Amino acid sequence: MISESMCWTSSDYSEAEVLPDSFPSAPAEPLPEFLLEPEDAFIVKNRPVQMRCRASPATQIYFKCNGEWVNQNDHITRESLDQITGLVVREVDISVSRTQVEELFGLEDYWCQCVAWSSAGTTKSNRAYVRIACQTFEQEPLGREVRLEQEVLLQCRPPEGMPAAEVDWLKNEDVIDPSQDSNFLITIDHDLIIKQARLSDTANYTCVARNVVAKRRSSTATLIVYVSGGWSSWTEWSECNAQCGRGWQRRTRSCTNPAPLNGGAFCEGPPFQRVTCTTLCPVDGGWTEWAKWSACGTECTHWRSRECQAPPPRNGGKHCSGSMMESKNCTEGLCTRKKASDPHLKTLGPGMGVAVYAGLVVALLLCVILALCVGGLAYRRRRRHLHGDITDSSSALTTAFHPGNYKPPRQDNPHPLHPSAPPDLTATAGAFRGPLFSLQQAVNDSPHKIPMTTSPLLDPLPSLKIKVYNSSTLSSLELPADMGSGDGEILSLKSVGTVGREREYHSHTLSREPGLSTSATMGNLGGRLTIPNTGVSLLVPPGTIPQGKFYEMYLIINKWDKTTLPSEGSQTVLSPVVSCGPSGMLLNRPVVLTLPHCAQLDTPTPDWTLTLKTQTHQGAWEEVLTVGEETLSSPCYLQLEEECCHVLMEQLGTYGLVGQSCPPQPACKRLQLALFAPRAPCLSLDYSLRIYCIHDTPHALKEVLDLERSLGGVLLEDPKPLLFKDSYHNLRLSIHDIPHTHWRSKLLAKYQEIPFYHIWSGSQRPLHCTFSLERGSLAVSQLTCKICVRQVEGEGQIFQLHTDIQETLPPHSPLPSGGTCLPSSQVGPYAFRLPDSIRQKICASLDAPSARGCDWRLLARSLGFDRYLNYFATKPSPTGVLLDLWEACHQGDADLVSLATALEEMGKSEVLVVMTTDGDC
């Protein structure tokens, strides 16, 4: 049976079709894909939260919380079929209670994660964190009493929630809108800042946090703005209360300037003052004795007089009463002559009248003649004046060939050099720029000679007239109409008097010297300008320049002989004066200017009061900020380091750092002492050594090296440091241990000194002393000696010199070579160490305030940028500004270690992963 059956089966297959070698298998099932992942949640009061996830295809889905699997019985599973793909969709829910979250021990928050299985493998979802929502504010505003115009900070940390709470501030239950009142500022951390407290700011302030779920109010903080009383001016002293003799005088003042308000302190001191006074007693006048009678006159009377001098009236006393003179008939009535009866009077009267009238007529004629003469002389003088002051341009331009055509200024000008008078022709032309003509040396040269330029414009220009009036009120230039607006050189002719001098000054200030300036065209991508071997740079972050705009950015170190110094009084210059521009351009975010300085800052107590100054368009210096005294109105932030400072600013211009000692300790400046000698072999008996005393900054050393290179000098050894103290003691230099058998010093004194003020003020640059030596014969080639440099009653340095003066000395420079220094300009992403993608992710992670303080504020503390956090809090992206400052501080670093270390200490592991993936850290 079995055999037959087997044979039948075999024959049956033989008759059928031939089978294929392999059969098709079922399609492979893909890995699970999550359609819904668990989300972060907050437990409000004691209500548990639901965690849900959905995946397809999935045979199983389970939750894992804090590394442990959730019990299968706690899962609620729903299964469905996707109508499009035909795959199984599985959805799982679990509940997380407040007790489970509170029982978690450790620093990490409670988290849950879904794990889905299929025949192809497993897939994990993102972690979702469960936190207990705080019902109360983590930090509420506190009531304060502040003085008028003081800066006020009211802090508010709302409860955590999902979504994050929006915060409003109420003032007496009215919402505060900073756009309507610029005196209020709400920071990114929800703090309320009142820039200058006003009396109207006395109110109740409440912080309100709300989201779609709930609304919370903080406790009310009462802010009282008080005004301390101030004394008014003293009144005038009252009159002495005693009319005669010793008495009192009194003056008063009131506490009304201003009057104390809202509990402000009352004025200290007395409201009145009283002093003794002495009033002189009045003395009435008294008559003297009558004088003797006068001789008997023609009127038959005689006179006598007396004076009120016995005593004279004093101190308000009464004057004498009665008459001062007395007359009476001296003939006892016997005199009877009359005026008309005298025959001599009748004959003399008409004659004397004619003489008087004749004299008056003669005097009048003389006056008329004199007036005519004076008028004629004045007219002739004025015509000669005007004729000599009009000079044709043709004769003016050809004066060098025809000296006779130029008329020198008259010596009879009463005010030739009066400072208020407008400039004359030579002074005005001295401020001109361009190829017209140059009279810059005419003031100092012979009055009959005008030096000319070598331009082809020496041909006559008959259309140009120059009028110069000798009057002290007018100076003008007449130009033809076709030479006005198109020529920039002609436009500079408008600079006369003070304006001309100011424009000339600024053109010198911004003159671009080789090695002291750099420039580049920049746009929205930003870049960096660096002046090599000077320590000066300008960082322009991405987004600083508006999109679509391009500017020719420049960076210039101003030479000391072409700019005024920013120091005044006891201040000293600590950095080079640097100009960056173009000034006046609109910046969307701060740029970072880096300046080297020479202030010694390693003492435990602050010895310096450091001030950043800027130069106005008129050339005057103004204070921008004082380190440690910043307010919300400060336009800059200054990050101070040991050898340089970084200035965050939004206005380009000319800046410099100055400082002065902060009592009681005197401050110290870091100086460098550089010793130079002739590089070429010495062929004479004389030999000289030069020692420079300069600031300990790369720019100052570069300036001296360039100067000595032009003089044929060479640096013998690396500069030595010296701390120069603000002690009013000079710097003393002396030379010792000279082999007197072969050499002698030409210095008559035992030492040389550089005055203290020349070094401290920074106005003398560069300062040096020269030691002149003479050898006994040309055969002497070896020179050994010691040079001692020290501040009197201060620190010092000693140079040990041993050289062969008949050999060519090799060049020596402590500055880096051209191949190792940073490029002068970098534009675009290559100028920044931190890629833009990493920057954006760090900003997104740290800009939002965190309840645990793990935000941009902690980053500022980790990087050492937390001296005045309110400056960063006012910026749209505080983290972005901090990263810009970090870029400026680490422009020479080769890696991101310092930033990565700070983020690691903050626990920002997700940012570190991004930096490791996208960056070079």
Side-chain angles (χ1 to χ4, degrees), residues 455-471:
S455 68
L457 292 178
L458 290 176
D459 298 332
L461 297 176
S463 60
L464 176 63
K465 291 283 186 179
I466 301 178
K467 293 185 178 179
V468 179
Y469 296 89
N470 286 338
S471 169

Side-chain angles (χ1 to χ4, degrees), residues 340-396:
S341 62
D342 192 349
H344 298 286
L345 293 176
K346 292 180 180 180
T347 58
L348 293 177
M352 291 188 64
V354 173
V356 171
Y357 286 121
L360 290 175
V361 172
V362 173
L364 182 60
L365 290 175
L366 289 175
C367 290
V368 172
I369 294 172
L370 182 61
L372 290 176
C373 294
V374 172
L377 290 174
Y379 177 74
R380 293 180 61 186
R381 181 185 181 89
R382 179 173 180 81
R383 288 196 60 189
R384 186 165 63 249
H385 235 37
L386 293 176
H387 179 74
D389 288 339
I390 300 178
T391 304
D392 187 77
S393 62
S394 176
S395 63

